[in-house]
Each structure stands twice: as C-alpha cells, then as structure tokens.
Amino acid sequence: MDKQSLFFTCLVAIVSTLLMLMSMQFLAKKLNLKPEEQEKIKISYTIWYVSILITYFLFLKVALELIENSIEIIIYSKLIENTFLISMQKITIFIGFTFFFTFISYFTVEKILQLSFGTRLDTIEIEKENIGYYLIKGILLILFTFSLITIFEHFLKWFLPTIETPFYH
C-alpha cells in the first residue's frame, strides 16, 4: 500500500460520508420524516436512518478497495501524465455509483414493500412508531444490499485503469 493512496482513500471516505449524511437529511426533509421542532428522535426514524447508512457503508467498502487499487495503478503508471485528474475521475465515478446503488436499493426495497404491505406513508409510520415495519424494511434493505454487492463490485471493475504490460516473445 502506498501512503498517498491510503491518504486519498481516507479522505474520500470522510468526505463521501459527510455527503451521504447531508443527502439523507435532504431525503428526510423531502419525505417529511423528521419535523424540525421535535426534540426526541423516534426509534423508527433511527432504524430508517441506520439501515440506509449500513447499506451505504457496505457499498462504500467495496468502492474504497477499488479506489485504493486504482490510485496505486495510476500513481505507478508511466503512461499517465496528469495523475491527479485521472485519480479524481476514478474517485468520482466510484463514489457516484456508490450513492446511485445505495438510493436505487432503497427505492427498490420501498417498491417491494409497497407490493407486499400496500401503500404506506413513511411520515405516518414514523409518527405512530411502527418499529416492526421499519425493522422489516431495514433488514430487507441490508439483505438486498448483500445480494447486490458482487454485482456492484464487478460493475466498478469495468472502470479500473488498465495496466500496460509489455509482451515479449
């Protein structure tokens, strides 16, 4: 492991986690899940929030491994002129797809639950403290993520930089 790739990977993890927390706050406000004047956080809201975060971190783990590998390949490549720009492109692609897969998983599980339990409004379910519903939703989201991780990893490997190896006879 190179110190530069490890540093950039840690930096990417921190910044992307902060972006994810901000996007989850935006989603919660858009869905009207957590009123501003409420002092106590409800358990069902916590389960909803934590299940999305676990999903994100499962995808992020795979993306960070590939980010570190791609940065090391880019740093040691003799053919790449602007290593910083290429590294930022790879980081953006990997983190962007991490966000994409996280939210696609969330909305897919949402649609699956609508087929199973009917249309339920999250604002009403959180207000009524329907912990069982959010436990089912969270567990289903995490299990769905585990089933997508290998597909996600293979998909991200398409964007890894290629290694030019000379072929001698």
Side-chain angles (χ1 to χ4, degrees), residues 11-152:
L11 189 65
V12 166
I14 292 168
V15 169
S16 65
T17 301
L18 291 174
L19 285 173
M20 183 62 183
L21 292 174
M22 287 185 342
S23 63
M24 286 179 60
Q25 279 183 328
F26 176 74
L27 182 65
K29 282 184 182 180
K30 186 175 184 301
L31 296 175
N32 200 16
L33 296 180
K34 184 179 177 254
E36 294 293 325
E37 67 274 352
Q38 203 175 43
E39 293 176 11
K40 184 180 175 189
I41 297 175
K42 297 193 180 234
I43 296 173
S44 55
Y45 177 77
T46 306
I47 294 170
W48 175 83
Y49 202 84
V50 168
S51 64
I52 295 175
L53 271 181
I54 290 172
T55 299
Y56 171 71
F57 284 127
L58 288 172
F59 285 129
L60 185 67
K61 178 191 173 291
V62 173
L64 287 178
E65 290 173 358
L66 293 175
I67 285 172
E68 186 177 358
N69 290 340
S70 66
I71 289 174
E72 286 181 6
I73 290 170
I74 290 169
I75 286 173
Y76 291 119
S77 176
K78 305 258 190 266
L79 300 174
I80 298 175
E81 299 274 331
N82 194 349
T83 57
F84 183 75
L85 181 66
I86 301 296
S87 297
M88 288 298 120
Q89 285 177 347
K90 296 301 178 184
I91 288 169
T92 304
I93 289 171
F94 291 154
I95 296 302
F97 280 120
T98 302
F99 278 95
F100 178 74
F101 269 77
T102 301
F103 287 114
I104 286 297
S105 299
Y106 172 73
F107 290 119
T108 303
V109 166
E110 190 80 28
K111 293 300 176 187
I112 290 171
L113 284 175
Q114 281 182 2
L115 290 173
S116 301
F117 296 120
T119 305
R120 292 176 177 254
L121 295 175
D122 283 335
T123 55
I124 295 171
E125 297 301 327
I126 285 180
E127 226 173 84
K128 290 183 178 180
E129 280 290 335
N130 196 348
I131 296 170
Y133 175 72
Y134 281 100
L135 279 175
I136 291 171
K137 192 174 187 177
I139 290 170
L140 186 62
L141 181 62
I142 292 168
L143 293 177
F144 186 71
T145 302
F146 275 118
S147 68
L148 281 181
I149 281 184
T150 56
I151 297 168
F152 177 68

